[in-house]
Amino acid sequence: MIQRIMKAGFVNIFGKPNAGKSTLLNALLGEKLAITSAKVQTTRHRIKGIITTDDYQLIISDTPGIIEPKYKLHEKMMLAVKEALEDADAAILLHDLTEPDTTATDAVFKKLKLAVPVLVVCNKSDKAGAEKTAAALRFFASQTYCDAAIAVSAISGKGVKELLEKITTLLPEGEPFFPADEVTDLPVRFFVAEMIREKVYELYEEEVPYHTTVLVREFKEKTTLVKIQADIVVQRDTQKGIILGEKGQGIKTLGTAARLEIERFLGRKIFLELFVKVKPKWRDNETHLKEYGYH
Ligand code: GDP
Ligand code: MG
């Protein structure tokens, strides 16, 4: 029997308003028939779609931070964008070829200093002409933050298939996170976990959020409320201490913030119980990753 190597991962799209993010998402999702399109607007890490084939599963989102073209970039805002991009296995940085040149986009991309593979996509090639397109591709390909550069026309679909192939080369090997036949909704649990994780990002500093994952253990719909039990999984005892905070004040704040967010999302009252668990190296552990809902 031939062993198939499956790839699976999260890809985040970043680009200035009007670069063509939405159009590109649609083009990517339209490329394959076995598509899940889940539009969830309420979470910060919005999953826009899942593409599952026999060879890979690609989960695509766009970034929360909106960068206005002439806006002075605040460090904090860029940090939020950077975090979102680094939550993914690869990042697509979208350049708009109808801009006068690559300078403005390059300045924004440079600030990101991403530690994940970066694919620079030059969009609107239908409007740019061969020479300008080639020059932009050469320019980005020679930048240190860029692993590969490709030109597309999201609107006509030109280059989109090649783009998909390129992205999949950047994905890690692994089993799909979501069932291939799950065509309508993503599990609510997943979003609940994401919302709790989001609060961890907001409330804790430095490396703690990066070492944290959230597993929803129980999700029970009762008549008057939804009962949710979740584990906050960290790698070290010290991190557990930080999450709990002095006299449990940290986890209390986290619990309240997460509860309000989830209640908004579900439109229902919830009862949320959080537990902090230490699992060394959960990030490297396949079994743990599976257990944490990613399958
Ligand atoms: P977003 O703000 O990054 O999500 O950008 P949109 O996807 O909404 O696109 C902004 C505008 O650019 C829309 O008017 C699109 O029709 C247009 N657009 C997007 N992709 C292309 C493209 O490949 N070629 C051309 N000519 N226009 C495009
Ligand atoms: Mg858009």
Side-chain angles (χ1 to χ4, degrees), residues 83-128:
E83 276 171 5
L85 287 167
E86 297 204 335
D87 265 352
D89 298 295
I92 289 179
L93 305 187
L94 204 57
H95 169 64
D96 182 344
L97 285 166
T98 64
E99 288 206 13
D101 55 39
T102 53
T103 316
T105 318
D106 176 54
V108 174
F109 290 178
K110 271 209 172 76
K111 285 211 171 139
L112 293 172
K113 294 199 179 67
L114 294 178
V116 293
V118 165
L119 184 61
V120 174
V121 176
C122 297
N123 188 31
K124 309 192 188 179
S125 63
D126 55 289
K127 277 252 184 95

Side-chain angles (χ1 to χ4, degrees), residues 126-242:
D126 55 289
K127 277 252 184 95
E131 219 160 281
K132 193 178 182 188
T133 303
L137 284 176
R138 266 199 311 279
F139 174 82
F140 285 114
S142 68
Q143 302 304 311
T144 49
Y145 54 76
C146 172
D147 291 281
I150 188 167
V152 302
S153 165
I155 228 164
S156 79
K158 191 169 174 229
V160 171
K161 194 157 168 275
E162 291 76 6
L163 168 60
L164 257 179
E165 279 160 18
K166 245 326 187 255
I167 304 172
T168 55
T169 65
L170 300 176
L171 294 181
E173 284 173 20
E175 292 304 309
F177 293 85
F178 301 101
D181 59 353
E182 201 160 86
V183 287
T184 49
D185 278 322
L186 291 168
V188 173
R189 279 169 187 246
F190 176 82
F191 291 106
V192 168
E194 282 295 285
M195 280 177 258
I196 298 169
R197 212 164 63 85
E198 180 184 303
K199 294 299 163 199
V200 174
Y201 266 93
E202 281 174 17
L203 295 170
Y204 298 95
E205 299 185 319
E206 288 165 20
E207 93 289 354
V208 171
Y210 293 100
H211 293 211
T212 303
T213 192
V214 174
L215 168 64
V216 173
R217 288 245 168 239
E218 189 185 281
F219 187 95
K220 268 206 192 122
E221 304 207 28
K222 314 243 175 185
T223 42
T224 53
L225 49 71
V226 183
K227 189 174 171 237
I228 299 170
Q229 259 185 17
D231 288 350
I232 294 169
V233 182
V234 292
Q235 307 212 77
R236 289 195 280 276
D237 279 324
T238 49
Q239 292 160 349
K240 178 174 174 172
I242 292 168

